[in-house]
Amino acid sequence: TLLYSCKNCNYPMSDKDIAEMFGITTKNVTNGKKEFMKLIKTTPTIFKASSCDPINYILKLGASMKLSKDNIDLACKICANAMTLNISSNSVPMTMACACIVCMCYHLDIPISRKMLINESKLSHITILKATKAVLPYISILISDVITNKAYNIVKECRSQIKIPTYLVNVFNEINI
């Protein structure tokens, strides 16, 4: 599918973008995508499965919103550091990109047209707000690579000291986790 090809080439397109381009519903695109994925699973694969990185979406949205290169770079840094710390990891790439742009604007006190962001991303206000609420509390950490790396190392050290009870290890081993 076109969507799959775009993702493989790191050219961010959403289901809504494709649907709009061809004048069909997003349901049609979603169904086509599901059928394509079934076909890939049953065929000797020459494809590699990948998805666009949120940073690709930041570059696309930043350009369409006419943000400066410095602002786009800061949003990309926030995003990369949020991914390093696994913040808002359940967000899809486009949602994470929007959240990082909003956080960057908030940090730099730049007025942002949420309506423009919603129109460009084709996401709902609530979706963007939820992801933004997950990232924004950490903005003072995420704007600095040095502080992010220190936080990452602290978390990594704490995780390494956690001892999993033997009975849980046995249960996990029984169910092959």
Side-chain angles (χ1 to χ4, degrees), residues 114-129:
R114 291 188 188 223
K115 186 174 183 175
M116 180 186 278
L117 186 60
I118 290 166
N119 288 339
E120 293 294 329
S121 67
K122 306 203 178 24
L123 295 173
S124 74
H125 174 71
I126 299 298
T127 301
I128 296 169
L129 186 63

Side-chain angles (χ1 to χ4, degrees), residues 15 25-35:
D15 293 0
T25 66
T26 54
K27 185 176 180 178
N28 290 87
V29 175
T30 303
N31 289 340
K33 187 169 62 174
K34 286 178 186 174
E35 290 300 316

Side-chain angles (χ1 to χ4, degrees), residues 6 15 20 23 30 40 45-47 50 64 76 82 98 103 110 151-152:
C6 289
D15 293 0
E20 213 171 76
T30 303
I40 284 179
T45 186
I46 56 172
F47 303 106
S50 68
S64 65
C76 288
C98 290
C103 289
I110 297 172
Y152 176 78

Side-chain angles (χ1 to χ4, degrees), residues 58 68-81 100 103-105 107-108 110 139 142-144:
I58 290 172
S68 74
K69 182 180 179 340
D70 289 342
N71 291 343
I72 292 171
D73 289 346
L74 181 57
C76 288
K77 178 188 276 194
I78 291 167
C79 185
N81 289 338
C100 292
C103 289
M104 177 274 302
C105 290
H107 175 71
L108 296 177
I110 297 172
I139 193 69
L142 300 176
I143 59 172
S144 166

Side-chain angles (χ1 to χ4, degrees), residues 133-177:
K133 283 183 176 181
V135 176
L136 193 57
Y138 306 100
I139 193 69
S140 60
I141 295 169
L142 300 176
I143 59 172
S144 166
D145 291 335
V146 173
I147 296 172
T148 297
N149 289 333
K150 284 181 181 178
Y152 176 78
N153 289 331
I154 290 168
V155 170
K156 187 177 172 184
E157 180 63 30
C158 289
R159 283 185 179 157
S160 71
Q161 294 176 4
I162 295 173
K163 303 293 182 211
I164 300 174
T166 308
Y167 74 92
L168 280 179
V169 171
N170 293 336
V171 169
F172 290 143
N173 287 336
E174 286 177 19
I175 57 175
N176 295 322
I177 292 182

